[in-house]
Amino acid sequence: MTRPRVLVTHPILDPGPQLLAAEVEVVTGTEPSIRARAEGCAGIVSQVMDPIGEEVLSLPGLKIVANCAVGFDNIDLAAATRHGVLATNTPGVLNDTTADFAFALLMAAARRVAEGDRFVREGRYHGWAIDMLLGQDLHGATLGIVGIGRIGRALARRALGFDMRVLYTDDAAPLSPAEEAELGVERRPLVELLRESDYVSLHVPLTPETRHLISHDELQLMKPTAILVNTSRGPVVDEAALAAALKAGEIFAAGIDVYEHEPAVDPGLLGLDNVVLAPHIASGSVRTRSRMSELAALNLLAGLRGERPPNLLNPEAWQT
Ligand code: GLV
């Protein structure tokens, strides 16, 4: 029996390739378009930088797209459902790793870690000074978490361990009073959270509602000593407005892992010392990226075997 063909758009990590090789014929293709590369394929293992739209999802014979990421804004889910194509993501395995990194950005921005590193390397450190590179304290400060899903909750637990007070906002999925009490967080409307918080960290998916959730007006509500961290998706923040606010000292600093037009970074941010810039690596630990690769492969293989994939995003497509 011939094995189904599967396009793996970019390499994934062990044990993903071994799992796939045991059941399918893996192709990588060389054409520039994903549609051309996926022609004749029953499945695609995609990643965050791969736009999977109507033109790909309408390919005859395509059964499943397994995204190797928790975010899936790169896939047109409605089109997938319309064409009866299953779509999956890799939730759960990256919560703690991503929260670790959000906290790392928070600390790096607050205590000017990257700026200090540049300062030393550039030969500008000539001895201790009482006012050198002063930052903001984390302990005793208030953290506002925008989006209290799995990663937002993992961040709350870290912040509470640092003696921070934790606020959150989440209109889509608020916690019950019992969950709030158990986690130790208080709910606020976004406007109040922005006004009250010393740190604001974003943990919402990218949707039409969350695009530019943080723009000029929201940045104006934040304290001049406040720090913004974004490890969610770039377009949740209006990057030009952020660069302007950082340049004008309207907020103290930012820690940014994701960009509006990845991999491009707003030139306004690149020249600023009060922003820590990372290349979309929040889930990037050896173990977590390997677990994501494994999960993407397992989702894809389940779909091709006619089993319901564990992380199905569009159950409507399964029913049809
Ligand atoms: C990475 O950004 C992911 O969504 O997993």
Side-chain angles (χ1 to χ4, degrees):
M1 206 176 86
T2 58
R3 291 167 173 228
R5 279 160 67 91
V6 168
L7 171 68
V8 177
T9 57
H10 307 272
I12 57 171
L13 303 185
D14 291 346
Q18 293 87 333
L19 291 167
L20 292 176
E23 294 187 41
V24 302
E25 182 199 340
V26 171
V27 299
T28 53
T30 50
E31 299 87 343
S33 90
I34 296 181
R35 182 185 161 94
R37 292 165 69 194
E39 203 114 20
C41 288
I44 300 176
V45 178
S46 58
Q47 297 189 27
V48 293
M49 60 294 212
D50 302 322
I52 308 287
E54 182 83 40
E55 74 293 351
V56 175
L57 294 159
S58 56
L59 279 168
L62 183 64
K63 293 196 173 72
I64 180 163
V65 176
N67 215 33
C68 188
V70 67
F72 51 88
D73 47 279
N74 58 313
I75 302 176
D76 182 340
L77 207 55
T81 304
R82 259 198 321 280
H83 291 286
V85 176
L86 307 178
T88 62
N89 66 342
T90 60
V93 295
L94 47 69
N95 303 340
D96 286 308
T97 301
T98 305
D100 283 348
F101 195 75
F103 209 77
L105 283 181
L106 205 116
M107 294 188 83
R111 298 301 306 275
R112 305 174 69 167
V113 175
E115 199 182 345
D117 181 87
R118 284 194 296 275
F119 188 81
V120 174
R121 285 175 201 275
E122 287 164 8
R124 291 157 60 204
Y125 175 46
H126 302 302
W128 193 86
I130 198 155
D131 59 351
M132 190 195 297
L133 292 176
L134 302 183
Q136 306 292 342
D137 275 328
L138 272 89
H139 65 273
T142 298
L143 168 65
I145 299 180
V146 179
I148 199 84
R150 291 173 293 246
I151 299 170
R153 285 194 294 260
L155 182 66
R157 288 192 291 273
R158 282 153 181 74
L160 293 162
F162 270 71
D163 291 334
M164 298 180 89
R165 183 169 74 114
V166 181
L167 309 177
Y168 82 96
T169 192
D170 196 328
D171 293 336
L175 301 177
S176 68
E179 287 170 322
E180 286 179 3
E182 196 190 345
L183 191 56
V185 299
E186 298 164 48
R187 188 169 169 210
R188 292 281 189 283
L190 179 62
V191 166
E192 280 178 35
L193 176 139
L194 293 171
R195 283 203 185 110
E196 249 184 272
S197 298
D198 301 300
Y199 296 84
V200 174
S201 191
L202 307 176
H203 299 283
V204 287
L206 176 62
T207 63
E209 292 73 40
T210 62
R211 185 172 292 271
H212 282 195
L213 184 68
I214 304 297
S215 191
H216 172 266
D217 291 355
E218 291 71 27
L219 290 160
Q220 297 299 310
L221 295 173
M222 292 174 66
K223 300 179 185 181
T225 48
I227 289 166
L228 177 73
V229 169
N230 188 13
T231 54
S232 63
R233 281 294 182 267
V236 173
V237 175
D238 177 341
E239 212 168 289
L242 174 64
L246 286 166
K247 189 166 183 198
E250 288 162 0
I251 64 171
F252 183 77
I256 302 294
D257 185 46
V258 285
Y259 302 88
E260 229 183 310
H261 306 289
E262 266 173 46
V265 179
D266 189 291
L269 287 180
L270 289 172
L272 295 176
D273 263 333
N274 57 346
V275 58
V276 180
L277 302 171
H280 202 151
I281 54 171
S283 65
S285 73
V286 175
R287 189 171 62 151
T288 292
R289 287 280 167 86
S290 153
R291 292 177 78 196
M292 290 164 66
S293 300
E294 178 178 21
L295 208 48
L298 292 175
N299 275 312
L300 181 117
L301 294 174
L304 292 187
R305 282 191 217 114
E307 296 161 13
R308 187 184 165 118
N311 306 113
L312 184 59
L313 293 165
N314 55 347
E316 308 86 342
W318 175 252
Q319 276 140 26
T320 59

